[in-house]
Amino acid sequence: CENTMILEMRYQKKNTAIHRLNPGVTLAWGGGLVLLSLIFDHPFYITLLFAVVVLVIKLSGIWREWVSILKLCLWLGISIIIINALVSSNGVHILVAAPFKLPVLGQPMITLEAIVFGAVMALKLTVIISAFTMINLTVHPDDIMSVLLKMKFPQKSVLLTSLSTRFIPCLV
C-alpha cells in the first residue's frame, strides 16, 4: 500500500472528542445512522441526517479525508439520478417524453418524481458511506474487533471482518 491518498483512509489517532469516544458508542452511532437512513424516505429527514454527519465529521477532524470520499459519492449520486430518471417513469410531472413507443415498455419519459427519488436515494447512500467512513477513520480496527467479540459475534467472523477492513484501503 504505497498510495498516500489511500493511506489517509486508514484509522488515524487524533485528539478529538469523537476519537476518544467508546468504540461501542461510535459503532452504535454509525449503525443508527445507517438504520435511520434506510427507514426514512422523506427528503427532510435524510437531509437532516446528512447535516448531522457533516457536523460530526467536522468535529472529528477528518474533513479532508471525507471530502475525497464525498467526490466518489457525487459521481455515484449522479449515476443513480440519471439511471433512476431513465428507468422509472412513475410520476405525474413529466419533464421529457420520447416521441416514440417501445414494445412492451411503452413511451419512455423522464418525470420530476423520478429525479427527486434518485436524488434522495443518492443522499441516503452518501449518509451510509459517510457513517462507515467516520467509523473507519475514528475507531481503531482492534477496538471494533473487541466490541464485536463482547457482543458475542462469532470469533471467526469478527476476525475475518477485521482483516478485510484493514486490507480494503490497500485493494483500492
Side-chain angles (χ1 to χ4, degrees):
C1 235
E2 295 182 17
N3 189 343
T4 58
M5 187 59 176
I6 299 301
L7 290 176
E8 292 177 1
M9 289 300 145
R10 292 186 179 172
Y11 169 76
Q12 301 168 6
K13 187 171 179 67
K14 294 185 178 183
N15 191 21
T16 67
I18 306 299
H19 281 78
R20 289 189 303 263
L21 282 175
N22 182 313
V25 172
T26 309
L27 286 174
W29 181 84
L33 267 179
V34 170
L35 187 64
L36 289 173
S37 66
L38 293 174
I39 291 173
F40 292 117
D41 285 329
H42 196 279
F44 174 76
Y45 297 121
I46 302 302
T47 305
L48 191 63
L49 288 173
F50 182 72
V52 169
V53 168
V54 170
L55 177 66
V56 171
I57 284 179
K58 187 70 174 165
L59 290 173
S60 65
I62 57 170
W63 184 263
R64 196 182 69 185
E65 295 86 352
W66 179 69
V67 167
S68 67
I69 293 293
L70 202 56
K71 291 175 187 175
L72 169 72
C73 291
L74 178 67
W75 286 109
L76 287 171
I78 290 170
S79 301
I80 290 170
I81 293 169
I82 290 171
I83 291 170
N84 196 61
L86 294 175
V87 173
S88 174
S89 61
N90 295 333
V92 294
H93 298 92
I94 300 171
L95 300 176
V96 178
F100 55 88
K101 289 187 178 188
L102 295 173
V104 181
L105 298 177
Q107 184 180 21
M109 60 184 76
I110 296 176
T111 63
L112 179 63
E113 290 84 357
I115 292 173
V116 170
F117 184 78
V120 171
M121 292 302 114
L123 192 56
K124 282 178 141 188
L125 182 64
T126 302
V127 169
I128 292 170
I129 290 173
S130 297
F132 283 112
T133 300
M134 196 269 316
I135 290 170
N136 192 36
L137 293 174
T138 60
V139 181
H140 194 278
D142 290 341
D143 294 337
I144 293 173
M145 193 168 127
S146 68
V147 167
L148 293 176
L149 287 173
K150 287 178 186 175
M151 293 173 59
K152 304 293 186 203
F153 278 82
Q155 287 183 342
K156 288 182 182 179
S157 299
V158 171
L159 179 63
L160 181 65
T161 304
S162 177
L163 289 173
S164 63
T165 56
R166 286 181 186 213
F167 287 114
I168 285 175
C170 293
L171 295 175
V172 175

